[in-house]
Amino acid sequence: MDICIILTDIIKFFILYVLSNYLVKQHKRRINSMKKAVAVILLFCILYIHGFGVFAKSEVYSGELDYAGSFSGDFAVVGKYEGKFKYGYIDKSGKLVIDMKFDYCEDFSENLAKVGIGEDLSSMKYGYIKTNGSYLIKPQFDIAYAMHKGYALVGLKKGKDYKYGLVSNKGKIVVEPKYDYIDVGDYLLDKGYAITSLNSQYGLVNLKTGKIIEPKYKSIALMSNYIRISSMVDGKEKYGFILFNGKVIEPAFDWIHHFGSIAKVIGMVEIDGKFGLMGADGKYVLEPKYDEIREFNDGITHVKLGDKYGYVDSDGSFLTDIEFEDISAFSKGISYVKKNGKWGLLNIDGTYKAEPIYDSISLVNGQIEAVLNGEKKLLNLDGSSKFDNDYVYMYPFVSIEGASKVMKDGKEVIIDAEGKPIFKKDFDKIWDFVDGVARIELKGKVGYLTIDDKYLVEPIYDSAYKDEATSCYNTKDNELWGLVLTDGTVIKPMSDAPIHFYGDYGIIRVGQKKTYIDKKGKRLTNEVFDDCYPFSDGFGRVTINGKTNYLNTAGKLMNRNFDFGQDFKEGFACVYDSGRYRFIDKNGNFAFGETAKFLSAKSFSNGLAAIYADNGKWGYIDTKGKIVIQPQFEGAFNFDEKLAPVIKSGKIGFIDKTGKFVIQPVYESATEFEN
């Protein structure tokens, strides 16, 4: 609402109020309240007319529209067809804010919109309007693009082609439309430049200063800290610079290698196979006379002249003479250098951390490893020796931080960062610690040492290794195997094969037979068996002459053997006897009576056991021998948790303990549930 209009209406209201007051006085028969009523009515009318009422005259467009575009920001393009389309804009309240007087309209971008005036597309001229509908640039261009980052590409038709220019959001024609094309990509605009093209030559516009370099270059590329240009010189493409300060270095280089991270150096230039460095001020940091210049690292580069190397700072000052036969880039302020065939370490300030006198040298774990005249040395970071001359350095002992393995008098010694021995004894061999334990060898015998310098396994055995499955240590002496349990209990060598413990009992081999021992190494029985299996539910299953029997924890066998048997589970074992599967109790007696004989059966699991009945189907019995799920399945498996997989009509599903399908049999394969 224009403030001038509001003020005018207030004045009108005041005049009308005075006039009404006069008329009321002339007609005294009217009550005094009439005057107030007239004033209120007049005020309402004025406010209604100018937008303070619920609806304002002409503010919400009430006519029909033949075109309505989507809102872009606060405005939408609308159009009316009256022999031809005319377009304008409405705001989000529906008010027609810019009259429908244009032959072409686009959405607002950066508070400016492209509009066109013309009888048809071939005669259309384009310009730009502001949000109040006034022209920023009157329609005069044959082609125009939306404003982007303060600029828009415009063009005039010249014959069959267009010539392009640039306009700004200030209404200024920044570049006259005379070029074949103008590149105004985001990266260029962000840097304040546009690249022009004419007859396959390229020029540059500095949008900040308005300076224009007319197209004359073969190529122009905007880099992070300069603009690279190229021209054909004597039939060869040469490269040059346009600096951001406006200075132009005309193309004269065979190539420019971009250096984007060094403030004082913008690139490495190449002329006739020689290299130099160009500074940000357009002057040489290094003249192009070197055979090699590498990328900067930690603000330092190295150069090569002939067959020697040296280091140069980013301002062109030399840290060292060009005197090294080989060098490396700096890493954490240190580089490797080779001089007169020997290696050393150089600090980034040009001083030596270790003089180049060593056959080889390396920086590992905060210390220096070197070889001098064929002998390994360990040095502190200041280049001094890390330990006594009696020690011969081997390599870092990585399982203890800062430690090293050295050799002294034929023994392996582990020393700390100060060069002092960590363990009381020196060993023939010591391996790295794993989970706080290291394998050791002493006087030809093997053992294990804890990191707190205690023997976990005394070094008295011919051989030893850790059983990863049980975390016990198998030991061997005089061809017999023993065991050191996790609690430190030592079972002396007594077995002809490695001993394996399962719970409280282990299995040893005596000749070609087997038997059981407890955790003290005592045999449960003097008898030996063809085979032994781990204890289950208080019994160890054994094989005697092809038959199965069971040994209890007191070392006593059952009174009879069975043709075959499974482990005890939930108080019973499934055995095969006289052509049938039956269940026995822990006394060795047949359970559930003489009728509980099956074609096949499986061990109990979660209170039920699968049985294969005479009808050729599988069902389940409980621990009282009662059939609780009638034989009806083609296959049956153990209950795990509350469900068991069964086969019905060739498909697998899952039943609960009542025999009801919880998961229908639709699967080709399945496993028992777990967790």
Side-chain angles (χ1 to χ4, degrees):
M1 181 69 67
D2 192 342
I3 189 63
C4 293
I5 296 174
I6 296 173
L7 291 173
T8 301
D9 286 18
I10 292 173
I11 293 170
K12 288 178 182 179
F13 165 74
F14 180 76
I15 293 171
L16 290 170
Y17 179 85
V18 172
L19 179 60
S20 67
N21 191 46
Y22 173 78
L23 291 173
V24 169
K25 286 181 179 181
Q26 297 299 317
H27 299 81
K28 293 183 178 181
R29 288 176 299 174
R30 296 178 181 177
I31 62 174
N32 188 52
S33 62
M34 176 71 75
K35 177 172 65 177
K36 295 180 180 178
V38 171
V40 172
I41 292 170
L42 289 172
L43 178 60
F44 177 80
C45 290
I46 292 170
L47 295 177
Y48 181 87
I49 291 170
H50 288 289
F52 290 103
V54 178
F55 298 102
K57 180 182 177 182
S58 299
E59 291 203 352
V60 175
Y61 186 77
S62 58
E64 293 185 356
L65 294 172
D66 296 306
Y67 173 80
S70 300
F71 275 93
S72 177
D74 294 328
F75 303 99
V77 177
V78 295
K80 184 74 175 173
Y81 185 79
E82 295 177 354
K84 63 177 294 186
F85 268 102
K86 289 291 184 180
Y87 300 95
Y89 296 84
I90 62 171
D91 64 15
K92 289 186 174 179
S93 69
K95 177 183 176 182
L96 184 67
V97 292
I98 299 176
D99 290 337
M100 290 181 279
K101 61 183 180 180
F102 302 105
D103 298 308
Y104 180 89
C105 287
E106 287 187 359
D107 291 334
F108 274 91
S109 174
E110 300 182 4
N111 293 320
L112 296 171
K114 169 186 166 183
V115 297
I117 299 292
E119 292 299 320
D120 52 37
L121 288 176
S122 63
S123 63
M124 193 78 68
K125 296 293 184 180
Y126 300 98
Y128 298 89
I129 61 170
K130 305 175 185 177
T131 54
N132 62 8
S134 65
Y135 282 116
L136 175 76
I137 301 175
K138 290 184 177 181
Q140 56 188 287
F141 302 107
D142 297 317
I143 191 169
Y145 292 85
M147 283 285 171
H148 179 60
K149 295 193 173 184
Y151 296 91
L153 193 65
V154 296
L156 292 175
K157 193 167 187 180
K158 303 291 186 180
K160 295 182 179 180
D161 299 319
Y162 289 93
K163 296 297 181 181
Y164 293 90
L166 277 183
V167 297
S168 74
N169 59 8
K170 306 297 182 184
K172 182 181 178 181
I173 298 178
V174 179
V175 179
E176 292 291 337
K178 62 180 182 178
Y179 299 101
D180 295 338
Y181 186 69
I182 300 178
D183 187 352
V184 284
D186 285 354
Y187 184 63
L188 282 165
L189 289 179
D190 289 342
K191 290 286 190 178
Y193 292 95
I195 296 176
T196 60
S197 173
L198 184 63
N199 299 325
S200 299
Q201 297 290 300
Y202 296 90
L204 188 72
V205 179
N206 188 324
L207 297 173
K208 296 177 182 178
T209 65
K211 183 179 179 180
I212 296 177
I213 298 176
E214 295 294 341
K216 63 178 182 177
Y217 297 110
K218 185 177 185 298
S219 70
I220 293 182
L222 181 64
M223 313 303 287
S224 63
N225 49 6
Y226 65 91
I227 299 161
R228 189 181 67 210
I229 55 178
S230 74
S231 296
M232 297 302 295
V233 179
D234 297 330
K236 184 177 180 181
E237 189 170 8
K238 298 285 186 177
Y239 297 87
F241 300 85
I242 298 177
L243 304 183
F244 288 159
N245 63 10
K247 182 176 181 178
V248 179
I249 302 173
E250 294 294 343
F253 305 107
D254 295 333
W255 184 241
I256 297 171
H257 302 264
H258 180 58
F259 283 4
S261 60
I262 306 299
K264 297 179 182 179
V265 178
I266 59 175
M268 180 174 69
V269 296
E270 181 180 350
I271 300 178
D272 298 329
K274 298 294 184 179
F275 300 91
L277 296 178
M278 181 63 68
D281 58 359
K283 297 179 181 179
Y284 284 125
V285 173
L286 288 179
E287 295 279 345
K289 65 179 184 179
Y290 297 95
D291 296 299
E292 182 182 306
I293 299 178
R294 295 289 179 89
E295 286 274 1
F296 278 86
N297 186 282
D298 285 346
I300 305 295
T301 186
H302 66 255
V303 300
K304 183 180 181 183
L305 190 60
D307 59 356
K308 300 289 186 180
Y309 295 88
Y311 289 96
V312 179
D313 203 343
S314 60
D315 62 1
S317 59
F318 278 84
L319 291 179
T320 67
D321 293 334
I322 301 178
E323 58 182 349
F324 300 111
E325 294 135 30
D326 201 356
I327 57 179
S328 72
F330 278 93
S331 175
K332 297 181 180 179
I334 299 174
S335 71
Y336 295 86
V337 294
K338 185 179 183 181
K339 184 178 180 181
N340 299 325
K342 299 293 185 179
W343 286 94
L345 295 177
L346 189 73
N347 294 312
I348 201 166
D349 62 1
T351 61
Y352 285 117
K353 184 172 289 296
E355 294 279 344
I357 60 173
Y358 298 99
D359 303 336
S360 65
I361 195 167
S362 60
L363 189 62
V364 181
N365 297 326
Q367 57 192 14
I368 301 170
E369 299 178 12
V371 176
L372 180 62
N373 299 325
E375 186 176 297
K376 289 185 177 181
K377 298 286 185 182
L378 191 64
L379 310 177
N380 295 307
L381 290 181
D382 61 2
S384 62
S385 179
K386 200 171 185 69
F387 45 70
D388 295 339
N389 291 330
D390 290 340
Y391 291 139
V392 177
Y393 175 72
M394 296 179 68
Y395 49 79
F397 195 70
V398 295
S399 57
I400 299 178
E401 185 175 357
S404 301
K405 182 186 284 190
V406 297
M407 183 75 72
K408 181 180 180 181
D409 299 330
K411 298 288 187 181
E412 292 185 357
V413 183
I414 307 302
I415 60 173
D416 61 19
E418 303 298 325
K420 299 177 180 178
I422 294 176
F423 303 111
K424 297 174 183 176
K425 288 185 177 292
D426 302 334
F427 304 101
D428 298 340
K429 287 185 180 180
I430 180 170
W431 286 260
D432 281 323
F433 282 87
V434 178
D435 296 330
V437 179
R439 179 183 172 93
I440 56 171
E441 187 175 308
L442 183 62
K443 297 179 181 179
K445 297 292 185 177
V446 177
Y448 285 86
L449 183 75
T450 64
I451 203 164
D452 58 357
D453 203 12
K454 296 179 180 178
Y455 287 129
L456 180 64
V457 177
E458 291 274 350
I460 58 175
Y461 301 101
D462 296 335
S463 178
Y465 73 91
K466 183 179 181 180
D467 185 341
E468 297 297 337
T470 62
S471 295
C472 298
Y473 290 87
N474 292 86
T475 58
K476 186 179 182 181
D477 193 33
N478 294 323
E479 300 304 319
L480 291 178
W481 289 88
L483 199 65
V484 177
L485 303 179
T486 54
D487 63 1
T489 300
V490 177
I491 297 174
K492 66 180 182 180
M494 63 171 60
S495 173
D496 291 315
I499 302 171
H500 298 286
F501 257 79
Y502 307 93
D504 292 330
Y505 302 100
I507 297 174
I508 65 171
R509 196 176 79 189
V510 181
Q512 298 301 315
K513 301 287 186 176
K514 294 180 181 179
T515 191
Y516 296 96
I517 60 173
D518 62 18
K519 285 189 174 181
K520 295 182 179 180
K522 181 181 178 181
R523 288 192 184 187
L524 292 189
T525 176
N526 290 325
E527 293 196 49
V528 292
F529 311 102
D530 297 332
D531 209 349
C532 295
Y533 299 89
F535 268 73
S536 174
D537 202 12
F539 286 86
R541 177 163 54 96
V542 299
T543 302
I544 305 171
N545 297 324
K547 299 286 186 176
T548 297
N549 204 325
Y550 297 89
L551 185 79
N552 65 19
T553 55
K556 184 178 180 181
L557 288 169
M558 290 185 175
N559 292 328
R560 59 170 299 180
N561 297 329
F562 304 97
D563 294 335
F564 171 75
Q566 301 172 16
D567 288 338
F568 266 88
K569 296 288 180 66
E570 301 183 12
F572 301 94
C574 179
V575 298
Y576 183 72
D577 186 74
S578 302
R580 288 281 177 157
Y581 282 84
R582 302 184 69 176
F583 291 89
I584 61 172
D585 61 22
K586 291 188 175 183
N587 294 317
N589 300 320
F590 288 115
F592 315 139
E594 288 298 316
T595 59
K597 299 177 181 179
F598 310 102
L599 295 177
S600 185
K602 298 181 179 181
S603 296
F604 276 94
S605 174
N606 287 288
L608 298 178
I611 51 95
Y612 189 49
D614 289 341
N615 66 353
K617 300 291 184 181
W618 286 86
Y620 291 88
I621 63 171
D622 62 16
T623 54
K624 294 181 180 180
K626 180 181 177 182
I627 296 179
V628 292
I629 299 176
Q630 291 297 321
Q632 57 187 292
F633 306 110
E634 296 145 36
F637 303 89
N638 289 335
F639 272 88
D640 191 79
E641 299 180 4
K642 298 179 180 180
L643 303 180
V646 295
I647 301 174
K648 186 83 169 180
S649 300
K651 299 290 185 178
I652 298 179
F654 290 82
I655 60 170
D656 62 17
K657 289 187 175 182
T658 69
K660 179 182 177 182
F661 274 106
V662 175
I663 299 174
Q664 293 300 313
V666 296
Y667 300 103
E668 301 293 338
S669 64
T671 62
E672 296 161 353
F673 271 93
E674 184 177 353
N675 296 324

